[in-house]
Amino acid sequence: MPTQNEWEAKAANLLKAELKRKGVTYSQLAELIDEKEVNIRNKLSRGKFSAAFLLQSLEAIGQTDLRLS
C-alpha cells in the first residue's frame, strides 16, 4: 500500500498532468479559481492540498473525466 507521501505526490502529479494536457498555466488556474499563483505553486510542489482544491481546479479547467492509472 502506498504511503501518505506517495498518495500526495500522485495527486499533485495528476493535477499537473491535467493542467499540461489542457494547456493551462498556474497563472491561468489562479485566475480561474481566484487564488494566488504562488499558493498554487506551493500546493502542487508540496503535494499538500485538499480534495476540494483538486476538484475545484479540475472543474475550472473543464476536466470532467479523471483517469487514476
Side-chain angles (χ1 to χ4, degrees):
M1 186 70 152
T3 66
Q4 182 69 25
N5 286 341
E6 290 169 331
W7 283 116
E8 291 167 351
K10 184 172 183 170
N13 289 337
L14 184 144
L15 182 51
K16 289 176 191 177
E18 293 305 326
L19 290 170
K20 184 168 266 195
R21 230 177 254 123
K22 293 283 189 175
V24 177
T25 65
Y26 292 166
S27 176
Q28 291 168 324
L29 178 61
E31 289 180 26
L32 290 170
I33 65 172
D34 194 32
E35 184 147 355
K36 292 182 179 179
E37 180 181 352
V38 68
N39 293 343
I40 291 172
R41 285 188 184 284
N42 288 338
K43 287 177 182 183
L44 291 176
S45 69
R46 287 190 319 257
K48 303 248 183 207
F49 50 83
S50 67
F53 173 79
L54 176 63
L55 294 173
Q56 178 186 24
S57 298
L58 291 172
E59 186 171 295
I61 64 172
Q63 184 60 37
T64 56
D65 298 323
L66 191 58
R67 237 186 179 161
L68 297 178
S69 54

Short mmCIF file of all heavy atoms in Angstrom, two decimals:
data_model
loop_
_atom_site.label_atom_id
_atom_site.label_comp_id
_atom_site.label_asym_id
_atom_site.label_seq_id
_atom_site.Cartn_x
_atom_site.Cartn_y
_atom_site.Cartn_z
N MET A 1 0.85 -1.18 0.00
CA MET A 1 0.00 0.00 0.00
C MET A 1 0.89 1.24 0.00
O MET A 1 1.83 1.33 0.79
CB MET A 1 -0.89 -0.04 1.24
CG MET A 1 -1.90 1.05 1.30
SD MET A 1 -3.16 0.80 0.04
CE MET A 1 -4.52 1.59 0.78
N PRO A 2 0.58 2.22 -0.85
CA PRO A 2 1.38 3.45 -0.89
C PRO A 2 1.33 4.22 0.42
O PRO A 2 0.33 4.17 1.15
CB PRO A 2 0.73 4.27 -2.01
CG PRO A 2 0.00 3.28 -2.84
CD PRO A 2 -0.44 2.20 -1.90
N THR A 3 2.38 4.97 0.68
CA THR A 3 2.44 5.82 1.87
C THR A 3 1.65 7.11 1.62
O THR A 3 1.29 7.42 0.48
CB THR A 3 3.89 6.20 2.21
OG1 THR A 3 4.39 7.03 1.15
CG2 THR A 3 4.76 4.97 2.39
N GLN A 4 1.44 7.87 2.67
CA GLN A 4 0.75 9.15 2.56
C GLN A 4 1.48 10.06 1.58
O GLN A 4 0.86 10.71 0.74
CB GLN A 4 0.62 9.82 3.94
CG GLN A 4 -0.13 11.13 3.92
CD GLN A 4 -1.61 10.98 3.62
OE1 GLN A 4 -2.20 9.95 3.86
NE2 GLN A 4 -2.20 12.04 3.09
N ASN A 5 2.81 10.11 1.69
CA ASN A 5 3.59 10.96 0.78
C ASN A 5 3.45 10.52 -0.67
O ASN A 5 3.41 11.36 -1.57
CB ASN A 5 5.07 10.95 1.19
CG ASN A 5 5.33 11.77 2.43
OD1 ASN A 5 4.54 12.62 2.82
ND2 ASN A 5 6.45 11.51 3.07
N GLU A 6 3.37 9.23 -0.89
CA GLU A 6 3.20 8.72 -2.25
C GLU A 6 1.82 9.10 -2.81
O GLU A 6 1.70 9.46 -3.98
CB GLU A 6 3.41 7.21 -2.29
CG GLU A 6 4.86 6.82 -2.07
CD GLU A 6 5.06 5.34 -1.83
OE1 GLU A 6 4.15 4.66 -1.30
OE2 GLU A 6 6.15 4.86 -2.17
N TRP A 7 0.79 9.04 -1.96
CA TRP A 7 -0.54 9.46 -2.40
C TRP A 7 -0.57 10.96 -2.73
O TRP A 7 -1.17 11.38 -3.71
CB TRP A 7 -1.59 9.16 -1.32
CG TRP A 7 -2.00 7.72 -1.26
CD1 TRP A 7 -1.80 6.87 -0.22
CD2 TRP A 7 -2.66 6.95 -2.27
NE1 TRP A 7 -2.30 5.63 -0.53
CE2 TRP A 7 -2.84 5.65 -1.78
CE3 TRP A 7 -3.12 7.24 -3.55
CZ2 TRP A 7 -3.46 4.64 -2.51
CZ3 TRP A 7 -3.73 6.24 -4.28
CH2 TRP A 7 -3.90 4.96 -3.77
N GLU A 8 0.09 11.75 -1.89
CA GLU A 8 0.14 13.19 -2.12
C GLU A 8 0.86 13.50 -3.43
O GLU A 8 0.42 14.36 -4.20
CB GLU A 8 0.81 13.90 -0.94
CG GLU A 8 -0.04 13.86 0.31
CD GLU A 8 0.70 14.26 1.57
OE1 GLU A 8 1.95 14.43 1.54
OE2 GLU A 8 0.03 14.40 2.61
N ALA A 9 1.95 12.81 -3.69
CA ALA A 9 2.69 13.01 -4.94
C ALA A 9 1.85 12.60 -6.14
O ALA A 9 1.84 13.28 -7.17
CB ALA A 9 4.00 12.22 -4.91
N LYS A 10 1.11 11.51 -5.99
CA LYS A 10 0.25 11.05 -7.09
C LYS A 10 -0.83 12.09 -7.40
O LYS A 10 -1.10 12.38 -8.56
CB LYS A 10 -0.38 9.71 -6.73
CG LYS A 10 -1.20 9.11 -7.85
CD LYS A 10 -1.65 7.70 -7.55
CE LYS A 10 -2.40 7.15 -8.75
NZ LYS A 10 -2.67 5.72 -8.63
N ALA A 11 -1.44 12.66 -6.35
CA ALA A 11 -2.47 13.68 -6.55
C ALA A 11 -1.90 14.92 -7.23
O ALA A 11 -2.50 15.46 -8.16
CB ALA A 11 -3.10 14.06 -5.21
N ALA A 12 -0.73 15.36 -6.78
CA ALA A 12 -0.10 16.54 -7.39
C ALA A 12 0.27 16.26 -8.84
O ALA A 12 0.03 17.10 -9.72
CB ALA A 12 1.14 16.94 -6.60
N ASN A 13 0.82 15.10 -9.12
CA ASN A 13 1.20 14.75 -10.50
C ASN A 13 -0.02 14.64 -11.39
O ASN A 13 0.03 15.03 -12.57
CB ASN A 13 2.01 13.47 -10.52
CG ASN A 13 3.40 13.66 -9.95
OD1 ASN A 13 3.93 14.77 -9.93
ND2 ASN A 13 3.99 12.59 -9.46
N LEU A 14 -1.10 14.13 -10.85
CA LEU A 14 -2.34 14.02 -11.61
C LEU A 14 -2.83 15.40 -12.02
O LEU A 14 -3.15 15.63 -13.19
CB LEU A 14 -3.39 13.31 -10.76
CG LEU A 14 -4.71 13.02 -11.42
CD1 LEU A 14 -5.25 11.68 -10.94
CD2 LEU A 14 -5.71 14.10 -11.13
N LEU A 15 -2.87 16.33 -11.07
CA LEU A 15 -3.34 17.68 -11.39
C LEU A 15 -2.38 18.38 -12.35
O LEU A 15 -2.82 19.03 -13.30
CB LEU A 15 -3.53 18.50 -10.11
CG LEU A 15 -4.08 19.92 -10.30
CD1 LEU A 15 -5.33 19.94 -11.16
CD2 LEU A 15 -4.34 20.57 -8.95
N LYS A 16 -1.09 18.24 -12.14
CA LYS A 16 -0.12 18.85 -13.06
C LYS A 16 -0.29 18.32 -14.47
O LYS A 16 -0.23 19.08 -15.45
CB LYS A 16 1.31 18.56 -12.59
CG LYS A 16 1.72 19.31 -11.35
CD LYS A 16 3.12 18.87 -10.93
CE LYS A 16 3.52 19.36 -9.58
NZ LYS A 16 4.84 18.87 -9.17
N ALA A 17 -0.52 17.01 -14.60
CA ALA A 17 -0.70 16.40 -15.92
C ALA A 17 -1.96 16.93 -16.61
O ALA A 17 -1.94 17.22 -17.81
CB ALA A 17 -0.77 14.88 -15.79
N GLU A 18 -3.03 17.08 -15.85
CA GLU A 18 -4.27 17.60 -16.43
C GLU A 18 -4.11 19.06 -16.86
O GLU A 18 -4.62 19.47 -17.90
CB GLU A 18 -5.44 17.44 -15.46
CG GLU A 18 -5.82 16.00 -15.20
CD GLU A 18 -6.13 15.19 -16.45
OE1 GLU A 18 -6.69 15.74 -17.43
OE2 GLU A 18 -5.82 13.99 -16.47
N LEU A 19 -3.40 19.84 -16.06
CA LEU A 19 -3.14 21.23 -16.45
C LEU A 19 -2.34 21.28 -17.74
O LEU A 19 -2.65 22.06 -18.65
CB LEU A 19 -2.38 21.97 -15.33
CG LEU A 19 -3.17 22.26 -14.06
CD1 LEU A 19 -2.24 22.76 -12.96
CD2 LEU A 19 -4.27 23.27 -14.32
N LYS A 20 -1.33 20.44 -17.84
CA LYS A 20 -0.50 20.40 -19.04
C LYS A 20 -1.32 19.96 -20.25
O LYS A 20 -1.23 20.54 -21.33
CB LYS A 20 0.69 19.47 -18.83
CG LYS A 20 1.65 19.47 -20.02
CD LYS A 20 2.93 18.78 -19.68
CE LYS A 20 3.88 19.87 -19.23
NZ LYS A 20 5.26 19.48 -19.17
N ARG A 21 -2.14 18.93 -20.07
CA ARG A 21 -2.98 18.42 -21.16
C ARG A 21 -3.91 19.48 -21.69
O ARG A 21 -4.18 19.56 -22.88
CB ARG A 21 -3.79 17.22 -20.66
CG ARG A 21 -3.70 16.03 -21.54
CD ARG A 21 -4.45 14.84 -21.00
NE ARG A 21 -3.47 13.89 -20.50
CZ ARG A 21 -3.40 13.40 -19.29
NH1 ARG A 21 -4.29 13.75 -18.39
NH2 ARG A 21 -2.47 12.56 -18.94
N LYS A 22 -4.43 20.30 -20.78
CA LYS A 22 -5.37 21.36 -21.17
C LYS A 22 -4.66 22.65 -21.58
O LYS A 22 -5.31 23.59 -22.03
CB LYS A 22 -6.32 21.67 -20.01
CG LYS A 22 -7.26 20.54 -19.67
CD LYS A 22 -8.39 20.48 -20.66
CE LYS A 22 -9.44 19.49 -20.20
NZ LYS A 22 -10.59 19.49 -21.07
N GLY A 23 -3.34 22.70 -21.39
CA GLY A 23 -2.59 23.89 -21.74
C GLY A 23 -2.86 25.06 -20.80
O GLY A 23 -2.79 26.22 -21.21
N VAL A 24 -3.13 24.75 -19.53
CA VAL A 24 -3.44 25.79 -18.54
C VAL A 24 -2.23 25.99 -17.64
O VAL A 24 -1.70 25.04 -17.08
CB VAL A 24 -4.67 25.37 -17.70
CG1 VAL A 24 -4.96 26.41 -16.62
CG2 VAL A 24 -5.89 25.18 -18.59
N THR A 25 -1.81 27.23 -17.51
CA THR A 25 -0.68 27.57 -16.64
C THR A 25 -1.17 27.77 -15.21
O THR A 25 -2.37 27.91 -14.96
CB THR A 25 0.01 28.87 -17.10
OG1 THR A 25 -0.92 29.95 -16.94
CG2 THR A 25 0.47 28.78 -18.54
N TYR A 26 -0.22 27.80 -14.28
CA TYR A 26 -0.58 28.07 -12.88
C TYR A 26 -1.23 29.46 -12.77
O TYR A 26 -2.17 29.65 -12.00
CB TYR A 26 0.65 28.00 -11.97
CG TYR A 26 1.23 26.63 -11.80
CD1 TYR A 26 2.49 26.46 -11.24
CD2 TYR A 26 0.55 25.48 -12.16
CE1 TYR A 26 3.05 25.21 -11.05
CE2 TYR A 26 1.10 24.22 -11.98
CZ TYR A 26 2.35 24.09 -11.43
OH TYR A 26 2.90 22.86 -11.24
N SER A 27 -0.73 30.40 -13.53
CA SER A 27 -1.27 31.75 -13.52
C SER A 27 -2.73 31.76 -13.98
O SER A 27 -3.59 32.41 -13.39
CB SER A 27 -0.42 32.66 -14.41
OG SER A 27 -0.97 33.94 -14.48
N GLN A 28 -3.01 31.02 -15.05
CA GLN A 28 -4.38 30.95 -15.56
C GLN A 28 -5.29 30.24 -14.57
O GLN A 28 -6.43 30.67 -14.36
CB GLN A 28 -4.40 30.22 -16.91
CG GLN A 28 -3.74 31.02 -18.02
CD GLN A 28 -3.49 30.19 -19.26
OE1 GLN A 28 -3.17 29.01 -19.19
NE2 GLN A 28 -3.65 30.83 -20.42
N LEU A 29 -4.78 29.17 -13.96
CA LEU A 29 -5.59 28.47 -12.95
C LEU A 29 -5.89 29.41 -11.78
O LEU A 29 -7.01 29.43 -11.28
CB LEU A 29 -4.87 27.21 -12.46
CG LEU A 29 -5.59 26.42 -11.38
CD1 LEU A 29 -6.95 25.92 -11.87
CD2 LEU A 29 -4.72 25.27 -10.89
N ALA A 30 -4.90 30.19 -11.37
CA ALA A 30 -5.10 31.13 -10.26
C ALA A 30 -6.25 32.08 -10.56
O ALA A 30 -7.08 32.35 -9.68
CB ALA A 30 -3.80 31.91 -10.01
N GLU A 31 -6.32 32.56 -11.78
CA GLU A 31 -7.42 33.45 -12.16
C GLU A 31 -8.75 32.72 -12.15
O GLU A 31 -9.77 33.27 -11.71
CB GLU A 31 -7.16 34.05 -13.54
CG GLU A 31 -6.05 35.07 -13.57
CD GLU A 31 -5.82 35.64 -14.96
OE1 GLU A 31 -6.77 35.65 -15.78
OE2 GLU A 31 -4.69 36.08 -15.23
N LEU A 32 -8.75 31.49 -12.63
CA LEU A 32 -9.99 30.72 -12.72
C LEU A 32 -10.59 30.40 -11.36
O LEU A 32 -11.81 30.36 -11.21
CB LEU A 32 -9.75 29.41 -13.49
CG LEU A 32 -9.48 29.54 -14.98
CD1 LEU A 32 -9.03 28.20 -15.54
CD2 LEU A 32 -10.73 30.03 -15.70
N ILE A 33 -9.73 30.16 -10.38
CA ILE A 33 -10.24 29.75 -9.06
C ILE A 33 -10.05 30.83 -7.99
O ILE A 33 -10.28 30.59 -6.83
CB ILE A 33 -9.63 28.41 -8.59
CG1 ILE A 33 -8.13 28.51 -8.36
CG2 ILE A 33 -9.96 27.31 -9.57
CD1 ILE A 33 -7.52 27.28 -7.72
N ASP A 34 -9.64 32.02 -8.43
CA ASP A 34 -9.48 33.17 -7.54
C ASP A 34 -8.55 32.86 -6.37
O ASP A 34 -8.91 32.97 -5.20
CB ASP A 34 -10.85 33.64 -7.02
CG ASP A 34 -10.77 35.02 -6.39
OD1 ASP A 34 -9.93 35.83 -6.84
OD2 ASP A 34 -11.53 35.29 -5.45
N GLU A 35 -7.35 32.43 -6.74
CA GLU A 35 -6.32 32.14 -5.74
C GLU A 35 -5.00 32.70 -6.27
O GLU A 35 -4.83 32.88 -7.47
CB GLU A 35 -6.20 30.62 -5.54
CG GLU A 35 -5.22 30.27 -4.45
CD GLU A 35 -5.60 29.02 -3.70
OE1 GLU A 35 -6.67 28.46 -3.93
OE2 GLU A 35 -4.78 28.62 -2.87
N LYS A 36 -4.07 32.97 -5.40
CA LYS A 36 -2.78 33.50 -5.82
C LYS A 36 -1.96 32.40 -6.48
O LYS A 36 -1.95 31.25 -6.00
CB LYS A 36 -2.02 34.08 -4.64
CG LYS A 36 -2.66 35.32 -4.08
CD LYS A 36 -1.86 35.90 -2.96
CE LYS A 36 -2.54 37.16 -2.45
NZ LYS A 36 -1.83 37.76 -1.35
N GLU A 37 -1.25 32.78 -7.53
CA GLU A 37 -0.41 31.82 -8.25
C GLU A 37 0.62 31.17 -7.34
O GLU A 37 0.86 29.97 -7.41
CB GLU A 37 0.29 32.50 -9.43
CG GLU A 37 1.16 31.56 -10.22
CD GLU A 37 1.88 32.24 -11.37
OE1 GLU A 37 1.61 33.42 -11.66
OE2 GLU A 37 2.74 31.57 -11.98
N VAL A 38 1.21 31.95 -6.45
CA VAL A 38 2.23 31.41 -5.56
C VAL A 38 1.64 30.32 -4.65
O VAL A 38 2.31 29.32 -4.37
CB VAL A 38 2.92 32.54 -4.74
CG1 VAL A 38 1.97 33.17 -3.74
CG2 VAL A 38 4.15 32.02 -4.05
N ASN A 39 0.40 30.49 -4.23
CA ASN A 39 -0.24 29.46 -3.41
C ASN A 39 -0.44 28.17 -4.19
O ASN A 39 -0.24 27.07 -3.65
CB ASN A 39 -1.58 29.96 -2.87
CG ASN A 39 -1.42 31.09 -1.88
OD1 ASN A 39 -0.34 31.31 -1.35
ND2 ASN A 39 -2.50 31.81 -1.64
N ILE A 40 -0.81 28.29 -5.45
CA ILE A 40 -0.99 27.11 -6.29
C ILE A 40 0.35 26.41 -6.50
O ILE A 40 0.44 25.19 -6.38
CB ILE A 40 -1.64 27.50 -7.64
CG1 ILE A 40 -3.10 27.92 -7.37
CG2 ILE A 40 -1.57 26.35 -8.64
CD1 ILE A 40 -3.81 28.51 -8.54
N ARG A 41 1.37 27.19 -6.78
CA ARG A 41 2.71 26.60 -6.96
C ARG A 41 3.14 25.84 -5.70
O ARG A 41 3.67 24.73 -5.78
CB ARG A 41 3.75 27.68 -7.26
CG ARG A 41 3.68 28.21 -8.65
CD ARG A 41 4.85 29.14 -8.96
NE ARG A 41 4.70 29.69 -10.27
CZ ARG A 41 4.94 29.03 -11.39
NH1 ARG A 41 5.35 27.80 -11.35
NH2 ARG A 41 4.76 29.61 -12.57
N ASN A 42 2.92 26.44 -4.55
CA ASN A 42 3.29 25.80 -3.29
C ASN A 42 2.51 24.51 -3.06
O ASN A 42 3.08 23.50 -2.66
CB ASN A 42 3.10 26.76 -2.12
CG ASN A 42 4.13 27.86 -2.09
OD1 ASN A 42 5.21 27.73 -2.66
ND2 ASN A 42 3.80 28.95 -1.43
N LYS A 43 1.22 24.57 -3.29
CA LYS A 43 0.39 23.38 -3.08
C LYS A 43 0.84 22.23 -3.98
O LYS A 43 0.95 21.08 -3.54
CB LYS A 43 -1.08 23.69 -3.35
CG LYS A 43 -1.73 24.52 -2.27
CD LYS A 43 -3.16 24.85 -2.62
CE LYS A 43 -3.76 25.73 -1.54
NZ LYS A 43 -5.16 26.02 -1.79
N LEU A 44 1.10 22.54 -5.23
CA LEU A 44 1.48 21.48 -6.17
C LEU A 44 2.91 21.00 -5.95
O LEU A 44 3.20 19.82 -6.17
CB LEU A 44 1.27 21.95 -7.61
CG LEU A 44 -0.20 22.11 -7.99
CD1 LEU A 44 -0.34 22.66 -9.40
CD2 LEU A 44 -0.95 20.81 -7.86
N SER A 45 3.79 21.86 -5.50
CA SER A 45 5.16 21.41 -5.25
C SER A 45 5.23 20.56 -3.98
O SER A 45 5.99 19.59 -3.92
CB SER A 45 6.13 22.59 -5.18
OG SER A 45 5.90 23.35 -4.02
N ARG A 46 4.44 20.90 -2.98
CA ARG A 46 4.42 20.12 -1.74
C ARG A 46 3.54 18.89 -1.86
O ARG A 46 3.73 17.92 -1.13
CB ARG A 46 3.88 20.97 -0.58
CG ARG A 46 4.82 22.04 -0.09
CD ARG A 46 4.29 22.65 1.21
NE ARG A 46 2.86 22.85 1.21
CZ ARG A 46 2.24 24.01 1.03
NH1 ARG A 46 2.95 25.09 0.84
NH2 ARG A 46 0.93 24.10 1.05
N GLY A 47 2.54 18.97 -2.74
CA GLY A 47 1.58 17.87 -2.85
C GLY A 47 0.58 17.87 -1.73
O GLY A 47 -0.10 16.88 -1.50
N LYS A 48 0.48 18.97 -1.03
CA LYS A 48 -0.43 19.06 0.12
C LYS A 48 -1.58 20.00 -0.23
O LYS A 48 -1.43 21.22 -0.21
CB LYS A 48 0.30 19.61 1.35
CG LYS A 48 1.50 18.79 1.73
CD LYS A 48 1.26 18.10 3.03
CE LYS A 48 2.52 17.35 3.41
NZ LYS A 48 2.25 16.23 4.22
N PHE A 49 -2.71 19.40 -0.59
CA PHE A 49 -3.91 20.18 -0.86
C PHE A 49 -5.12 19.29 -0.64
O PHE A 49 -5.02 18.06 -0.63
CB PHE A 49 -3.90 20.80 -2.26
CG PHE A 49 -3.58 19.83 -3.37
CD1 PHE A 49 -4.55 19.02 -3.92
CD2 PHE A 49 -2.30 19.75 -3.88
CE1 PHE A 49 -4.26 18.14 -4.94
CE2 PHE A 49 -1.99 18.88 -4.91
CZ PHE A 49 -2.98 18.08 -5.44
N SER A 50 -6.26 19.93 -0.49
CA SER A 50 -7.47 19.19 -0.18
C SER A 50 -8.09 18.59 -1.44
O SER A 50 -7.80 19.01 -2.56
CB SER A 50 -8.50 20.13 0.48
OG SER A 50 -8.94 21.09 -0.46
N ALA A 51 -8.96 17.63 -1.21
CA ALA A 51 -9.72 17.06 -2.32
C ALA A 51 -10.58 18.15 -2.95
O ALA A 51 -10.78 18.17 -4.17
CB ALA A 51 -10.58 15.91 -1.82
N ALA A 52 -11.07 19.07 -2.13
CA ALA A 52 -11.88 20.17 -2.65
C ALA A 52 -11.08 21.02 -3.63
O ALA A 52 -11.58 21.43 -4.68
CB ALA A 52 -12.40 21.02 -1.50
N PHE A 53 -9.81 21.32 -3.31
CA PHE A 53 -8.95 22.08 -4.21
C PHE A 53 -8.75 21.32 -5.52
O PHE A 53 -8.81 21.91 -6.61
CB PHE A 53 -7.60 22.38 -3.56
CG PHE A 53 -6.61 23.01 -4.49
CD1 PHE A 53 -6.68 24.36 -4.79
CD2 PHE A 53 -5.61 22.25 -5.08
CE1 PHE A 53 -5.76 24.95 -5.67
CE2 PHE A 53 -4.69 22.83 -5.94
CZ PHE A 53 -4.77 24.19 -6.24
N LEU A 54 -8.53 20.02 -5.44
CA LEU A 54 -8.34 19.21 -6.63
C LEU A 54 -9.59 19.27 -7.51
O LEU A 54 -9.50 19.53 -8.72
CB LEU A 54 -8.04 17.75 -6.24
CG LEU A 54 -7.93 16.75 -7.38
CD1 LEU A 54 -6.77 17.09 -8.31
CD2 LEU A 54 -7.77 15.34 -6.83
N LEU A 55 -10.76 19.06 -6.92
CA LEU A 55 -12.00 19.08 -7.69
C LEU A 55 -12.28 20.47 -8.26
O LEU A 55 -12.71 20.59 -9.41
CB LEU A 55 -13.16 18.61 -6.81
CG LEU A 55 -13.11 17.15 -6.39
CD1 LEU A 55 -14.22 16.84 -5.39
CD2 LEU A 55 -13.17 16.22 -7.58
N GLN A 56 -12.04 21.50 -7.47
CA GLN A 56 -12.25 22.88 -7.93
C GLN A 56 -11.36 23.17 -9.13
O GLN A 56 -11.82 23.75 -10.12
CB GLN A 56 -11.94 23.84 -6.79
CG GLN A 56 -12.07 25.30 -7.16
CD GLN A 56 -11.61 26.22 -6.05
OE1 GLN A 56 -10.81 25.85 -5.20
NE2 GLN A 56 -12.11 27.44 -6.05
N SER A 57 -10.13 22.76 -9.06
CA SER A 57 -9.18 23.00 -10.14
C SER A 57 -9.57 22.25 -11.41
O SER A 57 -9.56 22.80 -12.50
CB SER A 57 -7.76 22.59 -9.72
OG SER A 57 -7.35 23.36 -8.62
N LEU A 58 -9.92 20.98 -11.24
CA LEU A 58 -10.30 20.17 -12.40
C LEU A 58 -11.55 20.72 -13.07
O LEU A 58 -11.62 20.80 -14.30
CB LEU A 58 -10.50 18.71 -11.98
CG LEU A 58 -9.23 17.97 -11.57
CD1 LEU A 58 -9.58 16.61 -10.99
CD2 LEU A 58 -8.27 17.82 -12.75
N GLU A 59 -12.52 21.12 -12.27
CA GLU A 59 -13.74 21.69 -12.86
C GLU A 59 -13.44 23.01 -13.55
O GLU A 59 -13.97 23.28 -14.63
CB GLU A 59 -14.81 21.88 -11.79
CG GLU A 59 -16.12 22.34 -12.39
CD GLU A 59 -17.25 22.32 -11.39
OE1 GLU A 59 -17.62 21.22 -10.93
OE2 GLU A 59 -17.78 23.41 -11.10
N ALA A 60 -12.59 23.82 -12.96
CA ALA A 60 -12.26 25.13 -13.54
C ALA A 60 -11.61 25.00 -14.91
O ALA A 60 -11.80 25.87 -15.77
CB ALA A 60 -11.35 25.91 -12.60
N ILE A 61 -10.85 23.93 -15.12
CA ILE A 61 -10.18 23.76 -16.42
C ILE A 61 -11.02 22.91 -17.39
O ILE A 61 -10.57 22.59 -18.48
CB ILE A 61 -8.76 23.18 -16.28
CG1 ILE A 61 -8.78 21.76 -15.71
CG2 ILE A 61 -7.89 24.10 -15.45
CD1 ILE A 61 -7.42 21.07 -15.74
N GLY A 62 -12.21 22.56 -16.96
CA GLY A 62 -13.13 21.83 -17.83
C GLY A 62 -12.83 20.34 -17.93
O GLY A 62 -13.23 19.70 -18.89
N GLN A 63 -12.15 19.81 -16.95
CA GLN A 63 -11.82 18.38 -16.96
C GLN A 63 -12.93 17.63 -16.24
O GLN A 63 -13.10 17.77 -15.04
CB GLN A 63 -10.47 18.13 -16.27
CG GLN A 63 -10.02 16.70 -16.32
CD GLN A 63 -9.84 16.21 -17.76
OE1 GLN A 63 -9.39 16.96 -18.62
NE2 GLN A 63 -10.22 14.98 -18.01
N THR A 64 -13.70 16.86 -16.98
CA THR A 64 -14.84 16.17 -16.40
C THR A 64 -14.57 14.69 -16.14
O THR A 64 -15.27 14.07 -15.34
CB THR A 64 -16.08 16.28 -17.31
OG1 THR A 64 -15.75 15.78 -18.60
CG2 THR A 64 -16.52 17.73 -17.43
N ASP A 65 -13.57 14.16 -16.80
CA ASP A 65 -13.20 12.74 -16.60
C ASP A 65 -11.84 12.68 -15.94
O ASP A 65 -10.98 13.52 -16.19
CB ASP A 65 -13.14 12.00 -17.93
CG ASP A 65 -14.50 11.97 -18.63
OD1 ASP A 65 -15.50 11.86 -17.93
OD2 ASP A 65 -14.51 12.07 -19.86
N LEU A 66 -11.65 11.66 -15.14
CA LEU A 66 -10.39 11.52 -14.43
C LEU A 66 -9.91 10.09 -14.50
O LEU A 66 -10.64 9.17 -14.18
CB LEU A 66 -10.58 11.94 -12.97
CG LEU A 66 -9.35 12.12 -12.12
CD1 LEU A 66 -8.42 13.15 -12.73
CD2 LEU A 66 -9.75 12.54 -10.73
N ARG A 67 -8.67 9.91 -14.94
CA ARG A 67 -8.04 8.60 -15.01
C ARG A 67 -7.05 8.47 -13.86
O ARG A 67 -6.17 9.30 -13.70
CB ARG A 67 -7.25 8.50 -16.30
CG ARG A 67 -7.65 7.38 -17.13
CD ARG A 67 -6.71 7.33 -18.29
NE ARG A 67 -7.12 6.21 -19.08
CZ ARG A 67 -6.80 6.05 -20.31
NH1 ARG A 67 -6.06 6.93 -20.91
NH2 ARG A 67 -7.22 5.00 -20.96
N LEU A 68 -7.21 7.44 -13.06
CA LEU A 68 -6.35 7.28 -11.90
C LEU A 68 -5.13 6.43 -12.17
O LEU A 68 -4.24 6.35 -11.33
CB LEU A 68 -7.14 6.71 -10.73
CG LEU A 68 -8.26 7.60 -10.23
CD1 LEU A 68 -9.01 6.92 -9.10
CD2 LEU A 68 -7.75 8.95 -9.81
N SER A 69 -5.06 5.76 -13.28
CA SER A 69 -3.90 4.93 -13.55
C SER A 69 -3.19 5.32 -14.82
O SER A 69 -3.62 6.11 -15.56
CB SER A 69 -4.30 3.47 -13.63
OG SER A 69 -5.33 3.30 -14.55
#
